[in-house]
Amino acid sequence: MSLEKIRSAIEPCRQSLLEHPIYRDIRTPAALRTFMEYHVFAVWDFMSLLKSLQCRFCCVTVPWVPAADSASARLINEIVLGEETDDDGRGGFASHFELYRRAMQGFGADTSQIDRMVRDLAAGRSLDETLRVAEIGDAVRAFVGHTFAVIRSEEWCAVAAAFTFGREDLLPDVFQKIVDQLDAETGGGLADFQFYLRRHIDLDGGEHGPMALRLISDLCGNDSAKWKAAEAAALASLQARTRLWDAIHQQILTTAPAKTV
């Protein structure tokens, strides 16, 4: 087993996602706001995948003890640095989730549901209870539920694969073009979202993607069972994303149809 075999196994599903009709139909500010209001939950739960890896491979308790696998710890901490405390474009630092939420607010998208979830979790409510009472729709609830099922499995090759293959490279170049066009039409209302996309592309493609691939290789080693678990998790994560994309697309068609030409 190898990274190349995983890539080959998931390529049809990945390509289907990159060619999903959702991109064709995000053609109005209303459609993009709908997309953002759903997608923000995927931006949010991405951090829990990453932080679960940090908790497993880096010492995050007191008293401190050295990491058992210093190479994996280094890779994970490098990724956390960029994802949790990136340059915010304004002289400070912010997580990519916070950059996304800022972009939503700047474009008039509704952040009330994701804000409520974060508040409830910060107040100590369990994730299961938070998801049960949240007004987020079944598709988002299922997507987040899948993410945390992977985390709770504690199959760390699977977690790393879900993080790497299930989250990278799923906002293709065409999406950047859509955002640029809508930004021009709305007089610069998407400047914050353009900044978020640039940081996402620069870090994931130039730094974090290769680091995450190396992490999978290190964790799986020569163990065929671990490679199989990684492949299954990668494919399941892409399938979960497809179901989310389908639901968002249907909502866009229902409430924010694309412009006619």
Side-chain angles (χ1 to χ4, degrees):
M1 295 288 285
S2 65
L3 292 172
E4 288 69 27
K5 189 175 185 303
I6 292 178
R7 285 196 180 100
S8 177
I10 68 174
E11 182 57 25
C13 189
R14 177 182 174 276
Q15 196 60 37
S16 178
L17 269 168
L18 295 179
E19 296 173 356
H20 197 285
I22 192 171
Y23 300 112
R24 178 196 65 210
D25 289 320
I26 301 175
R27 292 288 189 255
T28 67
L32 182 57
R33 290 186 189 103
T34 297
F35 175 84
M36 296 171 83
E37 288 161 10
Y38 279 74
H39 181 239
V40 66
F41 289 91
V43 178
W44 168 77
D45 77 351
F46 166 87
M47 283 303 301
S48 289
L49 278 171
L50 175 56
K51 296 297 280 188
S52 71
L53 289 167
Q54 188 180 41
C55 289
R56 169 61 181 84
F57 293 100
C58 312
C59 183
V60 293
T61 58
V62 176
W64 175 87
V65 294
D69 181 350
S70 58
S72 293
R74 172 69 184 219
L75 290 171
I76 292 164
N77 280 331
E78 288 276 1
I79 296 172
V80 169
L81 177 65
E83 295 290 346
E84 193 170 36
T85 54
D86 196 11
D87 175 5
D88 72 352
R90 299 180 180 179
F93 304 96
S95 67
H96 282 196
F97 166 75
E98 290 165 305
L99 293 179
Y100 197 96
R101 183 183 176 279
R102 185 180 78 184
M104 291 178 67
Q105 290 186 312
F107 196 54
D110 183 5
T111 66
S112 61
Q113 295 307 316
I114 188 65
D115 289 347
R116 178 183 175 184
M117 172 173 278
V118 171
R119 282 198 307 270
D120 285 353
L121 292 170
R125 175 175 276 178
S126 72
L127 175 68
D128 290 342
E129 175 65 10
T130 298
L131 289 175
R132 188 183 68 80
V133 303
E135 298 176 7
I136 58 176
D138 291 341
V140 170
R141 189 175 289 107
F143 182 85
V144 174
H146 171 81
T147 298
F148 279 87
V150 174
I151 292 170
R152 288 166 175 167
S153 75
E154 296 189 353
E155 291 187 39
W156 298 109
C157 291
V159 176
F163 173 84
T164 303
F165 294 106
R167 301 306 178 107
E168 304 290 343
D169 195 27
L170 295 179
L171 294 181
D173 290 343
V174 66
F175 192 73
Q176 179 73 66
K177 294 176 183 176
I178 291 167
V179 172
D180 290 345
Q181 178 64 31
L182 287 175
D183 184 62
E185 293 178 9
T186 57
L190 282 166
D192 285 335
F193 199 34
Q194 288 175 312
F195 179 81
Y196 163 82
L197 287 173
R198 285 195 300 271
R199 296 304 300 159
H200 174 83
I201 292 167
D202 289 348
L203 286 178
D204 287 349
E207 298 178 24
H208 294 176
M211 288 181 185
L213 291 171
R214 179 179 166 189
L215 177 64
I216 292 173
S217 292
D218 289 348
L219 294 180
C220 292
N222 296 317
D223 190 324
S224 61
K226 290 181 178 179
W227 280 108
K228 288 179 181 178
E231 179 182 314
L235 183 58
S237 294
L238 289 174
Q239 291 168 338
R241 178 63 67 105
T242 298
R243 292 190 291 271
L244 179 64
W245 255 218
D246 290 343
I248 301 174
H249 186 220
Q250 186 57 47
Q251 188 67 19
I252 287 171
L253 295 179
T254 302
T255 62
K259 292 183 291 188
T260 58
V261 294

